[in-house]
Amino acid sequence: MSKTLLFIIVFVVLLVFYILLSLRRMKNIPLVPSNEKIKILDDRNFKHQIKNGKVLVDFWAAWCAPCRAMAPVLNELADTLDGTAVIGKLDVDKNRETAAAFKIRGIPTMILFKNGREVERFVGVKSKDFLLKKIREA
């Protein structure tokens, strides 16, 4: 067996081990309760809640580890905004109609609305500073 092939095998084994370890850690991320400033959205109230001002909507699910990782970031962001924008959360498992209407394919997906219109869309885990900057730019 050549040294190159051996190196590739070792690299792949280590990579698989790292991925499995990372997935195990992500499954252990606790479900953090939402800040009282975050609006819980559903299929019935969605259009009404996004129609005025800036609203950042987090499309999420309880089983999604990256979504659970975003919860503390969104809680902090809600405290920082002081009325300049609103944070909303929509559980895609419980509100499939709205999730389908916005073609949500991966979560977490956050959509920034201004007066009911989509301004920007973010997929994946984002930092508080990144989201704050995007909200201020809108």
Side-chain angles (χ1 to χ4, degrees):
M1 190 178 321
S2 72
K3 288 182 180 182
T4 306
L5 183 59
L6 184 61
F7 174 77
I8 291 171
I9 291 171
V10 169
F11 177 77
V12 169
V13 168
L14 289 173
L15 182 63
V16 168
F17 177 75
Y18 176 76
I19 290 170
L20 290 174
L21 187 63
S22 296
L23 289 173
R24 185 170 177 223
R25 284 186 197 150
M26 288 189 82
K27 286 182 181 179
N28 294 329
I29 295 173
L31 186 59
V32 176
S34 292
N35 184 318
E36 65 276 354
K37 294 179 182 177
I38 293 178
K39 294 189 183 280
I40 304 303
L41 306 176
D42 58 34
D43 288 337
R44 290 170 294 160
N45 71 4
F46 187 84
K47 287 181 182 176
H48 177 72
Q49 293 293 332
I50 67 162
K51 71 179 181 179
N52 294 318
K54 297 177 191 176
V55 182
L56 178 68
V57 178
D58 175 32
F59 292 83
W60 72 288
W63 52 263
C64 168
C67 298
R68 291 194 309 262
M70 277 304 302
V73 174
L74 294 171
N75 285 344
E76 248 184 78
L77 184 60
D79 282 332
T80 304
L81 290 174
D82 290 330
T84 58
V86 173
I87 306 290
K89 293 185 78 161
L90 183 117
D91 186 331
V92 296
D93 286 338
K94 295 177 182 174
N95 301 283
R96 295 179 187 268
E97 186 179 307
T98 303
F102 286 94
K103 297 178 174 69
I104 302 302
R105 301 287 181 247
I107 52 174
T109 293
M110 288 155 280
I111 300 179
L112 179 58
F113 294 92
K114 185 173 183 183
N115 298 325
R117 294 187 181 247
E118 182 176 335
V119 175
E120 205 159 349
R121 183 179 289 234
F122 319 104
V123 179
V125 176
K126 303 296 179 205
S127 71
K128 174 187 159 195
D129 292 334
F130 172 85
L131 294 172
L132 188 58
K133 178 182 175 199
K134 293 297 184 177
I135 290 169
R136 289 183 176 155
E137 288 174 356

